[in-house]
Amino acid sequence: LKAARELRSVIEAGAVEGVRLAYVTDDVIRAICEAGIWGLKVPREFGGAEVDARTYIDVIEELSYADASTGWVVMAAGFAGGGVGLGPSALERIYGSNEGIISAAQVSSLGNAERVDGGYRVWDGHFHFGSGSRYASWFGGAFAVQQDSKPLLDEHGEPKVIMGWTSREKVRLKGNWDVMGLAATGSYDFDFVDQEIPDDWVYGVPGRRSVGGPIHAIGVSIGHVAWALGVGKRALDEIHELAARKRRF
């Protein structure tokens, strides 16, 4: 939390330029990296901080107070940096290499997948709102499993959906972010290149050992709450300051 507070001046200084560029500036991303904040949710066994939920909320709230786009990117692109639902070979590559731990993912649109030996073949993976994807090393997307050219249903009669992950070189970034709100998040659309995803790169396979502590059981909503707290407090403080300066007619 102390490190996040010390970043406020750097983040605020880069905010306007970030809006112009449509992504958080390199200087701000570098400062966040050097402060160790990308490792907030990374399990201790892989060298991360694995912070408790209260600390995570406080840090994301502080970053979001400094700049809404920066807070959103760290929340969204750092959430899956935990990668804790993946298998051993995926975890080893993500945490044991020098390829980085920042990730971008989206589940609101579905690609297609079919079972193959040792994993899934995926195609038509077109996804939106990849916040922080400019800096991401890993990408995740949701795929509806097909069998005999029809959606495969689970035991509840619902389409079976998997969350597959891949490396940056196996996606195409669209670079198409031009919006009014959260303008500096660089939330580009991205496409999965048609490929085979090994089972170790499929999230949440039943029976897989869970790592990373209880914060990962809460889900992404914890980050959304923290972001909203930071942005809301900043808005109230700005209104208070404006009201104090306002001259009555």
Side-chain angles (χ1 to χ4, degrees):
L1 180 57
K2 180 176 180 291
R5 287 171 176 159
E6 290 174 347
L7 287 173
R8 183 180 295 184
S9 61
V10 175
I11 293 171
E12 289 179 337
V16 173
E17 179 68 0
V19 171
R20 186 186 72 80
L21 295 171
Y23 56 80
V24 178
T25 67
D26 292 347
D27 287 345
V28 171
I29 292 293
R30 187 177 301 110
I32 293 170
C33 289
E34 291 173 352
I37 289 175
W38 290 112
L40 280 178
K41 301 190 71 175
V42 175
R44 292 189 188 93
E45 65 183 276
F46 300 116
E50 193 182 316
V51 298
D52 59 86
R54 178 71 263 177
T55 300
Y56 178 77
I57 289 173
D58 288 344
V59 171
I60 298 301
E61 179 183 330
E62 172 62 32
L63 297 176
S64 302
Y65 183 96
D67 175 54
S69 288
T70 300
W72 184 268
V73 166
V74 175
M75 178 275 295
F79 179 82
V84 295
L86 301 179
S89 64
L91 295 176
E92 176 61 30
R93 182 173 174 189
I94 292 172
Y95 299 124
S97 69
N98 293 318
E99 297 178 72
I101 60 172
I102 300 175
S103 56
Q106 188 52 256
V107 298
S108 62
S109 53
L110 298 178
N112 293 303
E114 66 177 0
R115 186 69 183 164
V116 295
D117 186 32
Y120 292 86
R121 182 177 74 87
V122 300
W123 70 96
D124 288 344
H126 309 299
F127 302 98
H128 311 291
F129 304 112
S131 298
S133 52
R134 172 182 168 84
Y135 300 101
S137 300
W138 316 103
F139 288 77
F143 297 86
V145 179
Q146 308 292 311
Q147 188 176 63
D148 300 326
S149 301
K150 296 185 297 185
L152 179 65
L153 304 182
D154 62 19
E155 63 271 21
H156 304 293
E158 300 292 333
K160 181 178 180 179
V161 176
I162 63 165
M163 184 71 178
W165 291 82
T166 195
S167 54
R168 185 182 183 91
E169 65 266 19
K170 294 181 180 179
V171 300
R172 289 188 292 262
L173 290 177
K174 299 296 188 66
N176 57 338
W177 190 244
D178 184 12
V179 297
M180 292 179 65
L182 292 178
T185 59
S187 299
Y188 307 140
D189 290 1
F190 61 94
D191 295 341
F192 268 58
V193 176
D194 294 357
Q195 59 192 276
E196 290 190 6
I197 298 178
D199 282 332
D200 273 4
W201 290 84
V202 175
Y203 190 86
V205 172
R208 182 174 287 163
R209 183 176 75 91
S210 177
V211 296
I215 189 173
H216 292 280
I218 300 174
V220 71
S221 58
I222 188 175
H224 292 163
V225 167
W227 178 84
L229 286 171
V231 172
K233 287 183 177 180
R234 183 61 182 260
L236 289 174
D237 285 350
E238 292 287 342
I239 292 170
H240 182 271
E241 183 178 345
L242 179 63
R245 297 198 312 266
K246 187 175 181 179
R247 298 180 62 181
R248 294 181 182 273
F249 291 104

